[in-house]
C-alpha cells in the first residue's frame, strides 16, 4: 500500500518537474513553441532592454513618438527585441498585445528592430490598421536599411516621420454605420393616427369658420 | 355709365411694403454667403449635421456619436427627431452641403418674421406695431445667427410662433398641430402650449359663471387635445421609422432623464445662468476665423451667441409696459407677458432649482415675446426715440455681422 502510494507520488512529481522544466526552458528561449513570447515590461514609448540606443537618443525618440501620437491619434511604440529572424514578428505581435498598443487611440503601430539590427517588423492590428500592408512592408525595408548600419534610433525616427506623412496624406476616415431596422408597421399605424388627427383638426377648423359670424 | 361692381382690394393695396422690405432684406442677409466658411461647421452643427448624415446613411466621422449609433436612425436621442429629419431631407434633395443643411433654418427664420407680424395684427395691433415686431426679429443678432445655422432652436421658435398665431386667430385645432411640430423638433416646444394656457387662464380672471367659464375654456381644451394626440402619434411614427425607440413615451422619458442629468454647480465656459441673459452676459463665440497676414491678425468670420444689446436692454421696460397693459385688459400685452413667462421661467427653475446647465441661446424662444412687448410699447414713446432705436439696432447688427471682409 505504502509502496504504491510512493510510486504514484514519484510519478506525479516527475510530471510536475517535467512541465516546470519545459516552461522554464521555453521562457529562457523567449519563444514558446512558436506561439507565446513573454514581452519585457514596457518602458514608456521606447522599449530597449539591451540598451542598444543611448539614453539621450531614447529620450528624444520617445518625445517624437509622443508628438506623432498627439497629432495623428495613432499610438506608435518602438521596441528593440532580443530576438531576430523569423521570431521577430512573433515577438513583436506578443509585445503589441501584451502592451495593448493602440488602446484608447484610433489605432496602434509597433515598430520592432532586432537588437543585432538584422531584422525589422512593423506590427499593426488586423482591424482598422493605420498602415496598409504594402506601406508596412515599405516601412520595414526603410528601417532595416538603417538598422543594418547600426542606426537604430534613426531608423525609428525615419519610420515615425513616414507614419506621420502617410497619416496626413490620407483623407480623414469616414465610415458608414451598420443600418438600423425601422419598424415600418408601427410607423404606419402611428402615421394613420397622425393623418386622422390632422384631418379631424382641419375639418373642425373649417366647421368653426363656417359657424362664426362674419 | 356707372360701375356697379363692388370695389375690390387689390394685392398692392393690402401689401405692406415695409414688411416686404424687412422680409426681403432679412431673408437675403440670412442667405448671404450661406455656405461660408468653407467646410466649417458652426457651433452645434457638429452634432446635428452629423445626425443628418447618419440618418441619410452617409459615411461619418465617429466623433459625437454613441457606440450603438445606426445608419438610417437619428443618433441624437436626447431631442425629438423632426428638425434633424428636415435637415436630412434638405441634404437629400440638394446634396450634403452647408447650403443644404442651413437652408431650412433660413426659410424658417424668415417665416418667423412674417409670423410675428401676423401675430401682432391678429392681436389687434397696428401695421406700425407689427412692423416693429418684425424688425426686431429680423435684425436681432441671436435670431439672425440661428436663422442661418443648422441647429434646432429656430425650428422650435418658428413652429411655436405658428401655433401661437393660429391660436390667436381662433384656429385652435391647427394651433395644436403647430405646437406639436415645435415639440417634435425639441421638447421645449411644450412651452408654447404653456404660454397659451397662461394666456387663456388670464382671460378668465373676470369671475365668470361656471357655464360661461367652460365655454371660454373650450378653445384651450380643443387646442390641447389636438396637440397631445398629434404629438403622440407623430412622435410614435417618427420614432418607429427613424429611431430605436418603439414607444413615444419611452423616448420622452429618455429626453427628460437625459436633460435632468446635465447639471453643473456654476456656469463655466459657454454655459451661463438665465439671469445673466437679461444683461446679455454669458455670450460666447460660436465660430471665429482669424487670418494673419503681414503680421496683422484679422477676424474674417465671427458667429456670436448673443442678443442685440439694444433689444435686450429695452426688454425689461417693454415687458413692464406689456404687463401694465395686460392688467388693463390688453390681449397683446397679456400674450407678450405669458410667452415670456412660459419660455423663461422653466429655464430659471431648472437652473436655480436643479442646477440644469443653461446656455444663452435658450433665450431665443423668449425673443418673440420681447418683440411683441417692444411693438406694444413703441407707440408710447416719441417718434424720435423709435427712430433712434431702429438705428441703434441696425448699427449693432452691422457691428456684429458674422461675415466680415
Amino acid at each position: 500500500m505504502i509502496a504504491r502510494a510512493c510510486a504514484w507520488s514519484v510519478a506525479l512529481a516527475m510530471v510536475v518537474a517535467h512541465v516546470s522544466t519545459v516552461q522554464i526552458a521555453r521562457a529562457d528561449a523567449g519563444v514558446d513553441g512558436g506561439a507565446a513570447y513573454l514581452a519585457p515590461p514596457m518602458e514608456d514609448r521606447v522599449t530597449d532592454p539591451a540598451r542598444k540606443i543611448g539614453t539621450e537618443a531614447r529620450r528624444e525618440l520617445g518625445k517624437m513618438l509622443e508628438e506623432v501620437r498627439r497629432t495623428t491619434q495613432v499610438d506608435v511604440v518602438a521596441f528593440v527585441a532580443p530576438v531576430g529572424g523569423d521570431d521577430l514578428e512573433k515577438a513583436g505581435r506578443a509585445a503589441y498585445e501584451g502592451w495593448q498598443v493602440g488602446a484608447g487611440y484610433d489605432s496602434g503601430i509597433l515598430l520592432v528592430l532586432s537588437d543585432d539590427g538584422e531584422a525589422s517588423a512593423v506590427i499593426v492590428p488586423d482591424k482598422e490598421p493605420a498602415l496598409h500592408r504594402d506601406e508596412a512592408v515599405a516601412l520595414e525595408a526603410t528601417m532595416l536599411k538603417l538598422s543594418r548600419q547600426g542606426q537604430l534610433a534613426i531608423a525609428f525616427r525615419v519610420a515615425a516621420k513616414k507614419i506621420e506623412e502617410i497619416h496626413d496624406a490620407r483623407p480623414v476616415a469616414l465610415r458608414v454605420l451598420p443600418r438600423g431596422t425601422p419598424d415600418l408597421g408601427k410607423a404606419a399605424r402611428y402615421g394613420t393616427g397622425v393623418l386622422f388627427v390632422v384631418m379631424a383638426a382641419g375639418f373642425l377648423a373649417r366647421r368653426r369658420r363656417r359657424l362664426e359670424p362674419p | 355709365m356707372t360701375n356697379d361692381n363692388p370695389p375690390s382690394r387689390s394685392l398692392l393695396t393690402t401689401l405692406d411694403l415695409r414688411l416686404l422690405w424687412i422680409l426681403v432684406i432679412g431673408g437675403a442677409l440670412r442667405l448671404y454667403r450661406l455656405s461660408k466658411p468653407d467646410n466649417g461647421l458652426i457651433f452645434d452643427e457638429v452634432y446635428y449635421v452629423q445626425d443628418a448624415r447618419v440618418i441619410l446613411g452617409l459615411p461619418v466621422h465617429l466623433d459625437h456619436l454613441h457606440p450603438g449609433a445606426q445608419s438610417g436612425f437619428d443618433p441624437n436621442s436626447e431631442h425629438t427627431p423632426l428638425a434633424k429629419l428636415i435637415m436630412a431631407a434638405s441634404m437629400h434633395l440638394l446634396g450634403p452641403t452647408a447650403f443644404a443643411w442651413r437652408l431650412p433654418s433660413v426659410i424658417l427664420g424668415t417665416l418667423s418674421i412674417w409670423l410675428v407680424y401676423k401675430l401682432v395684427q391678429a392681436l389687434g395691433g397696428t401695421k406700425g406695431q407689427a412692423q416693429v415686431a418684425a424688425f426686431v426679429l429680423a435684425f436681432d443678432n441671436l435670431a439672425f445667427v440661428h436663422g442661418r445655422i443648422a441647429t434646432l432652436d429656430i425650428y422650435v421658435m418658428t413652429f411655436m410662433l405658428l401655433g401661437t398665431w393660429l391660436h390667436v386667430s381662433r384656429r385652435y385645432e391647427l394651433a395644436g398641430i403647430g405646437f406639436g411640430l415645435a415639440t417634435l423638433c425639441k421638447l421645449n416646444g411644450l412651452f408654447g402650449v404653456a404660454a397659451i394656457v397662461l394666456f387663456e387662464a388670464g382671460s378668465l380672471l373676470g369671475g365668470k359663471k361656471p357655464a360661461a367659464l367652460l365655454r371660454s375654456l373650450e378653445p384651450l381644451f380643443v387646442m390641447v387635445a389636438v396637440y397631445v394626440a398629434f404629438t403622440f402619434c407623430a412622435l410614435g411614427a417618427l420614432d418607429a421609422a427613424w429611431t430605436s425607440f418603439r414607444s413615444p413615451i419611452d423616448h420622452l422619458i429618455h429626453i427628460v432623464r437625459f436633460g435632468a442629468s446635465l447639471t453643473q454647480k456654476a456656469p463655466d465656459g459657454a454655459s451661463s445662468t438665465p439671469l445673466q441673459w437679461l444683461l446679455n452676459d454669458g455670450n460666447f463665440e460660436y465660430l471665429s476665423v482669424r487670418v494673419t497676414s503681414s503680421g496683422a491678425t484679422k477676424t474674417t468670420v465671427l458667429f456670436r451667441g448673443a442678443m442685440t444689446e439694444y433689444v435686450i436692454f429695452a426688454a425689461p421696460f417693454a415687458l413692464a409696459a406689456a404687463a401694465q397693459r395686460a392688467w388693463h385688459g390688453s390681449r397683446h400685452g397679456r400674450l407678450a407677458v405669458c410667452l415670456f413667462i412660459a419660455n423663461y421661467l422653466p429655464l430659471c427653475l431648472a437652473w436655480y432649482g436643479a442646477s440644469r446647465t443653461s446656455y444663452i441661446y435658450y433665450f431665443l424662444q423668449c425673443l418673440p415675446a420681447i418683440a411683441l412687448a417692444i411693438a406694444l410699447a413703441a407707440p408710447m414713446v416719441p417718434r424720435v426715440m423709435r427712430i433712434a432705436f431702429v438705428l441703434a439696432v441696425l448699427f449693432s447688427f452691422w457691428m456684429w455681422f458674422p461675415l466680415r471682409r
Side-chain angles (χ1 to χ4, degrees):
Chain A
M1 183 71 184
I2 294 169
R4 192 181 285 180
C6 286
W8 275 110
S9 301
V10 169
L12 191 64
M14 282 177 72
V15 170
V16 170
H18 174 72
V19 169
S20 307
T21 308
V22 169
Q23 287 294 329
I24 291 164
R26 282 178 175 178
D28 281 348
V31 179
D32 181 3
Y37 167 83
L38 295 177
M42 190 184 181
E43 302 167 5
D44 202 12
R45 310 222 136 255
V46 185
T47 302
D48 177 19
R51 295 289 179 264
K52 292 285 176 184
I53 302 175
T55 314
E56 185 59 22
R58 205 165 55 239
R59 200 174 59 80
E60 285 297 316
L61 179 61
K63 267 171 72 177
M64 185 186 181
L65 296 180
E66 178 63 31
E67 183 59 19
V68 172
R69 184 203 58 74
R70 195 185 63 77
T71 54
T72 63
Q73 286 298 304
V74 176
D75 189 21
V76 185
V77 174
F79 178 30
V80 183
V83 289
D86 293 342
D87 290 336
L88 190 74
E89 171 108 15
K90 291 168 192 162
R93 202 153 284 284
Y96 188 98
E97 280 156 22
W99 297 343
Q100 297 195 320
V101 178
Y105 300 99
D106 287 354
S107 193
I109 298 174
L110 179 65
L111 305 171
V112 196
L113 287 173
S114 63
D115 56 5
D116 58 5
E118 288 301 317
S120 68
V122 174
I123 311 296
V124 290
D126 297 332
K127 251 177 99 178
E128 296 167 16
L131 296 175
H132 301 313
R133 191 59 225 150
D134 54 335
E135 290 165 341
V137 169
L139 207 58
E140 282 172 358
T142 308
M143 285 168 64
L144 189 59
K145 209 167 151 187
L146 288 160
S147 70
R148 277 184 174 154
Q149 297 164 14
Q151 309 279 359
L152 270 67
I154 293 175
F156 283 129
R157 291 176 73 93
V158 167
K161 191 82 195 141
K162 191 79 193 153
I163 289 167
E164 208 170 19
E165 283 170 13
I166 291 170
H167 184 273
D168 289 350
R170 193 164 287 166
V172 181
L174 293 172
R175 282 172 229 177
V176 175
L177 301 171
R179 198 152 191 91
T181 315
D183 188 341
L184 292 178
K186 202 166 224 177
R189 282 197 293 281
Y190 277 114
T192 311
V194 174
L195 203 64
F196 175 76
V197 173
V198 171
M199 283 172 66
F203 171 76
L204 288 171
R206 280 187 68 183
R207 188 164 158 268
R208 185 186 295 278
R209 281 260 170 217
R210 244 186 282 137
L211 293 176
E212 270 177 1
Chain B
M1 199 170 157
T2 55
N3 185 359
D4 292 336
N5 291 334
S8 64
R9 295 174 74 198
S10 73
L11 183 67
L12 271 177
T13 55
T14 55
L15 200 67
D16 182 347
L17 280 178
R18 275 196 196 155
L19 170 71
L20 199 63
W21 273 111
I22 293 171
L23 283 173
V24 168
I25 295 172
L29 287 171
R30 280 160 174 77
L31 270 175
Y32 174 66
R33 292 167 76 195
L34 186 62
S35 44
K36 299 288 173 192
D38 295 326
N39 304 319
L41 292 171
I42 304 168
F43 184 44
D44 276 355
E45 284 185 349
V46 290
Y47 301 107
Y48 303 124
V49 172
Q50 175 88 315
D51 297 338
R53 290 183 69 90
V54 174
I55 290 168
L56 290 173
L58 297 173
V60 287
H61 303 288
L62 297 187
D63 310 334
H64 312 302
L65 286 176
H66 65 81
Q70 290 175 302
S71 216
F73 277 6
D74 174 15
N76 177 252
S77 55
E78 61 262 37
H79 292 302
T80 42
L82 183 62
K84 290 159 277 176
L85 289 170
I86 294 172
M87 282 178 216
S90 176
M91 288 162 70
H92 181 69
L93 289 172
L94 304 171
T97 61
F99 183 84
W101 64 65
R102 291 178 190 149
L103 186 64
S105 296
V106 173
I107 294 168
L108 290 169
T110 311
L111 180 66
S112 70
I113 302 169
W114 181 78
L115 282 170
V116 82
Y117 177 93
K118 296 300 286 181
L119 182 57
V120 172
Q121 284 199 322
L123 288 163
T126 63
K127 239 183 199 183
Q129 285 177 312
Q131 287 160 0
V132 170
F135 171 81
V136 168
L137 220 52
F139 293 101
D140 175 80
N141 180 69
L142 196 66
F144 175 74
V145 167
H146 280 269
R148 54 172 293 151
I149 64 172
T151 56
L152 312 182
D153 307 270
I154 196 74
Y155 291 76
V156 190
M157 190 194 86
T158 305
F159 286 128
M160 203 184 70
L161 259 175
L162 176 69
T164 310
W165 170 60
L166 287 167
H167 186 89
V168 172
S169 310
R170 289 185 293 178
R171 277 172 268 185
Y172 311 114
E173 299 84 358
L174 302 181
I177 293 174
F179 288 124
L181 290 172
T183 310
L184 291 172
C185 292
K186 198 174 177 182
L187 200 59
N188 294 18
L190 184 69
F191 297 164
V193 179
I196 295 299
V197 170
L198 284 177
F199 177 69
E200 292 292 353
S203 69
L204 304 176
L205 292 177
K208 291 179 180 171
K209 287 180 181 171
L213 199 71
L214 270 180
R215 249 200 320 281
S216 322
L217 282 177
E218 191 206 323
L220 185 63
F221 288 143
V222 169
M223 186 275 282
V224 172
V226 172
Y227 166 75
V228 171
F230 174 77
T231 308
F232 181 81
C233 292
L235 184 59
L238 297 181
D239 275 349
W242 282 289
T243 76
S244 51
F245 291 99
R246 290 295 167 259
S247 152
I249 302 290
D250 290 346
H251 195 178
L252 290 173
I253 290 171
H254 172 79
I255 291 171
V256 172
R257 281 195 183 145
F258 182 87
S261 72
L262 300 175
T263 58
Q264 61 181 156
K265 289 205 170 91
D268 61 346
S271 63
S272 49
T273 69
L275 274 185
Q276 284 180 279
W277 308 337
L278 295 177
L279 296 170
N280 213 13
D281 193 14
N283 60 65
F284 61 98
E285 287 181 9
Y286 285 0
L287 177 86
S288 63
V289 178
R290 291 185 173 89
V291 180
T292 304
S293 136
S294 318
T297 303
K298 230 174 97 177
T299 304
T300 54
V301 177
L302 177 59
F303 282 88
R304 185 169 157 263
M307 274 79 71
T308 291
E309 289 80 0
Y310 302 100
V311 171
I312 192 65
F313 293 151
F317 305 104
L319 284 165
Q324 188 260 347
R325 284 299 184 89
W327 185 255
H328 291 289
S330 158
R331 292 177 78 222
H332 187 155
R334 193 167 75 232
L335 185 64
V337 172
C338 292
L339 267 177
F340 186 79
I341 290 174
N343 283 288
Y344 184 65
L345 192 64
L347 301 174
C348 288
L349 293 175
W351 169 258
Y352 294 104
S355 303
R356 169 66 160 83
T357 309
S358 306
Y359 302 95
I360 196 167
Y361 65 88
Y362 290 176
F363 202 69
L364 182 70
Q365 275 184 247
C366 300
L367 276 177
I370 292 173
L372 286 184
I374 290 176
L376 186 66
M380 298 180 201
V381 296
R383 186 180 156 80
V384 66
M385 275 186 73
R386 289 204 296 271
I387 293 172
F389 176 75
V390 167
L391 291 177
V393 170
L394 287 176
F395 169 73
S396 177
F397 181 79
W398 176 70
M399 285 291 289
W400 291 110
F401 193 73
L403 302 159
R404 295 117 187 265
R405 294 232 172 248

